[in-house]
Amino acid sequence: MLFDFQAFIEELREKAEKKQIVEKYEQFVWPIQGDIKDQEWYTEYLVKFSPIAYHVPEELKEDFDWDLLQQLVLGSFSSDYELKKEKEDEEKELYIAVKSGEQSVVKTVSELRSFQILRLYEIYIEEQMNLHALRKEEENEQVAIDGERESRLKRWKAVLDTMDKDELSQKAKKEQESKLGDLMGQL
């Protein structure tokens, strides 16, 4: 795997403008140990986003934890996403939309390069660490953050529910067309 969580944490500790992220997290949550999936913000929140298969860059298929990236995207407050199939026989595309000021950028994960994917990991992990520390630090922030988390989880559940219905509807339509074709052939 190209992304090394502990190396990233050490990098944050060394950067003057970033070290407060780690310090605050360790002050209000606990010392950072283990991997991403051992962190409280993952075990209490991101783990609830059950990932589904989506199209990733072929040459990078083995280089990243794609389920984790999807969970980070789905759980983020700073970006939006959409999962959709471009063509019937293809995997779903994961679109990520990021808005910065007046500018909005939308990309599919499958078109990203490795340095862009690494940067997404960094951005989303910093965001989760900041939010989780803020949750622990201030009670009124905890209510707001928990509310937004719940909203994001409900949206993901709705996406999964409608996705299943769409796929069942497509399958039923194909079966119907096939039976109709068989009937027509018998005439």
Side-chain angles (χ1 to χ4, degrees):
M1 295 290 152
L2 290 179
F3 184 79
D4 181 333
F5 179 67
Q6 283 301 327
F8 174 62
I9 295 300
E10 287 312 308
E11 204 177 290
L12 289 178
R13 287 183 202 281
E14 291 169 13
K15 290 182 181 176
E17 72 279 5
K18 298 281 185 171
K19 67 180 184 179
Q20 83 281 358
I21 295 169
V22 176
E23 290 169 356
K24 197 172 204 176
Y25 185 86
E26 291 185 326
Q27 178 187 351
F28 290 103
V29 184
W30 65 39
I32 298 170
Q33 299 170 339
D35 197 28
I36 294 169
K37 293 181 179 180
D38 300 319
Q39 305 312 305
E40 194 174 282
W41 49 266
Y42 181 84
T43 60
E44 287 183 3
Y45 175 52
L46 291 184
V47 75
K48 295 176 183 175
F49 292 95
S50 47
I52 62 167
Y54 63 101
H55 190 212
V56 299
E58 196 60 42
E59 67 280 5
L60 302 173
K61 218 172 196 98
E62 305 301 316
D63 295 341
F64 292 97
D65 181 337
W66 297 104
D67 286 351
L68 175 61
L69 179 64
Q70 186 179 44
Q71 290 171 311
L72 287 164
V73 170
L74 301 176
S76 172
F77 295 7
S78 64
S79 64
D80 212 347
Y81 67 88
E82 186 176 353
L83 265 162
K84 66 181 179 183
K85 278 189 180 186
E86 296 300 320
K87 294 182 182 137
E88 189 56 41
D89 57 338
E90 289 182 350
E91 276 187 297
K92 291 172 181 61
E93 287 283 359
L94 176 57
Y95 288 82
I96 302 173
V98 180
K99 193 170 184 175
S100 181
E102 291 300 309
Q103 193 177 7
S104 187
V105 179
V106 178
K107 297 262 187 194
T108 61
V109 169
S110 65
E111 69 182 328
L112 298 176
R113 304 214 186 297
S114 61
F115 74 92
Q116 293 170 307
I117 295 163
L118 284 167
R119 187 67 189 120
L120 285 176
Y121 269 92
E122 293 171 358
I123 291 166
Y124 289 134
I125 288 168
E126 281 182 39
E127 176 189 18
Q128 290 304 322
M129 288 174 62
N130 279 325
L131 287 170
H132 205 69
L134 190 58
R135 255 182 102 247
K136 300 284 186 175
E137 183 182 13
E138 296 188 32
E139 200 173 310
N140 60 339
E141 291 293 345
Q142 180 179 353
V143 173
I145 291 168
D146 288 351
E148 181 64 24
R149 283 180 169 184
E150 195 58 40
S151 168
R152 296 223 164 236
L153 285 163
K154 282 180 183 169
R155 176 173 181 234
W156 180 237
K157 184 181 179 335
V159 165
L160 290 177
D161 289 349
T162 57
M163 198 176 292
D164 290 345
K165 288 177 185 161
D166 287 347
E167 287 174 8
L168 287 173
S169 156
Q170 291 288 339
K171 193 183 276 186
K173 186 177 177 183
K174 279 188 177 163
E175 286 176 17
Q176 205 172 30
E177 287 171 357
S178 172
K179 287 178 184 175
L180 189 58
D182 291 347
L183 263 171
M184 295 301 264
Q186 291 175 11
L187 293 176

